[in-house]
């Protein structure tokens, strides 16, 4: 069952909409885990979705939900991400310091040529891996901080102050950091694009601290604790279709935690 999150304040604050959809559910904080369970697990000859991962959708969502299923593909236990004018992410709570390294493998079998991560109309993607961080509020610019504080008073969810996404884009330059067109509380680092041939696995290994500071270094010089990791794909803004797979997601090591302040 999808976990539907209430965000009444965000009907007045559309700039925070994307941020609100990248949240750990309130109940997760009651039983945090240091690392996520596997995205996909193999039982006998069958692949099944891993435990502890929730399907997150928008409240009263009108677009269909992105379809997630488990497959054995090229010998890998993979999460199939089938987006058809749809929205939804799979997410797992984290606790404590951010991981030092995040690794995964992915492939896009059907790209979405309408993707343009710089615009609201093109703010989709066949695949992304995201991490939410507990950035202290005193590091957030004043206007965005006040919006976030107001939204938090209207929402039962612990809205994150910073979310970093590693994305498979389209025409965007690799290595480019793009603020989400709905809110700067979400920033995307483009890793792959249309230049990468479809149907081929690509292995990723990212330095979380380096990537976080590349994205949010204008606001902080330290890496705050992580609160959730998310995997997904969407096509609700473009109304198009994409098909992608993600496998072998791993979090390794930790970045030293720093005290939270101004929350």
């Amino acid at each position: 069952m999808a976990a539907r999150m209430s965000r009444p304040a965000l009907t007045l604050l559309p700039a925070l909409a994307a941020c609100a959809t990248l949240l750990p559910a309130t109940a997760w904080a009651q039983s945090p885990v240091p690392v996520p369970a596997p995205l996909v697990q193999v039982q006998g000859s069958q692949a099944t979705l891993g435990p502890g991962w929730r399907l997150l959708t928008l409240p009263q969502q009108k677009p269909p939900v992105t379809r997630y299923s488990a497959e054995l593909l090229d010998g890998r236990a993979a999460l199939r991400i089938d987006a058809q004018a749809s929205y939804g992410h799979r997410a797992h709570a984290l606790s404590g310091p951010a991981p030092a390294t995040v690794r995964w493998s992915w492939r896009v079998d059907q790209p979405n040529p309408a993707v343009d991560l710089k615009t609201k109309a093109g703010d989709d993607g066949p695949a992304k891996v995201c991490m939410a961080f507990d950035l202290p509020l005193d590091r957030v610019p004043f206007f965005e901080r006040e919006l976030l504080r107001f939204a938090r008073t209207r929402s039962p969810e612990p809205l994150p102050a910073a979310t970093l996404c590693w994305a498979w884009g389209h025409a965007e330059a690799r290595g480019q950091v793009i603020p989400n067109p709905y809110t700067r509380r979400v920033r995307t680092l483009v890793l792959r694009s249309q230049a990468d041939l479809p149907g081929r696995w690509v292995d990723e290994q990212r330095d979380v601290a380096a990537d976080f500071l590349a994205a949010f270094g204008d606001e902080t010089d330290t890496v705050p604790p992580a609160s959730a990791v998310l995997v997904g794909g969407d096509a609700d803004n473009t109304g198009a279709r994409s098909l992608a797979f993600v496998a072998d997601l791993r979090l390794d090591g930790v970045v030293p935690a720093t005290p939270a302040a101004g929350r």
Side-chain angles (χ1 to χ4, degrees):
M1 178 179 295
R4 297 185 180 273
M5 296 175 292
S6 174
R7 53 173 196 178
L10 299 181
T11 61
L12 300 176
L13 301 170
L16 286 175
C19 186
T21 65
L22 298 176
L23 301 176
T26 302
W28 297 359
Q30 299 170 5
S31 56
V33 293
V35 294
L39 270 174
V40 175
Q41 59 186 4
V42 179
Q43 299 176 334
S45 60
Q46 299 294 319
T48 60
L49 297 175
W53 290 85
R54 295 195 178 203
L55 176 62
L56 302 187
T57 64
L58 297 169
Q60 300 179 346
Q61 179 168 315
K62 294 182 179 179
V65 177
T66 296
R67 292 184 293 180
Y68 295 95
S69 58
E71 286 194 16
L72 291 175
L73 183 62
D74 299 331
R76 299 174 188 250
L79 178 70
R80 177 188 173 104
I81 306 171
D82 190 350
Q84 299 188 51
S86 60
Y87 183 87
H89 295 80
R90 292 190 66 80
H92 202 298
L94 299 176
S95 64
T101 304
V102 57
R103 309 180 190 194
W104 71 92
S105 299
W106 55 356
R107 58 186 274 177
V108 169
D109 285 38
Q110 181 171 339
N112 180 353
V115 167
D116 182 353
L117 296 175
K118 296 180 180 179
T119 69
K120 292 181 179 180
D123 183 34
D124 287 330
K128 66 182 73 172
V129 175
C130 303
M131 195 169 293
F133 295 84
D134 190 15
L135 180 68
L137 273 184
D138 62 1
R139 300 300 181 93
V140 179
F142 175 78
F143 180 69
E144 294 177 51
R145 180 169 69 243
E146 295 307 303
L147 286 178
L148 185 55
R149 277 178 169 156
F150 178 70
R152 284 177 172 178
T153 67
R154 300 298 193 273
S155 172
E157 310 299 340
L159 305 183
T163 298
L164 169 64
C165 291
W166 295 274
W168 196 305
H170 187 63
E172 300 83 3
R174 290 183 187 176
Q176 185 176 13
V177 175
I178 302 175
N180 185 276
Y182 289 95
T183 170
R184 281 173 43 83
R185 297 299 90 220
V186 180
R187 303 181 191 182
T188 297
L189 176 57
V190 180
L191 298 186
R192 303 291 165 183
S193 70
Q194 63 182 343
D196 295 277
L197 294 177
R200 294 189 179 183
W201 285 105
V202 180
D203 299 329
E204 307 287 4
Q205 177 174 327
R206 305 302 307 180
D207 182 321
V208 173
D211 287 351
F212 177 83
L213 294 175
F216 287 93
D218 60 320
E219 297 177 357
T220 180
D221 58 0
T222 58
V223 181
S227 57
V229 61
L230 304 97
V231 178
D234 58 339
D236 56 315
N237 290 308
T238 59
R241 182 174 187 254
S242 62
L243 177 63
F245 298 86
V246 176
D248 304 324
L249 177 69
R250 285 183 52 189
L251 306 181
D252 296 311
V254 295
V255 174
T258 56
R263 296 172 57 192

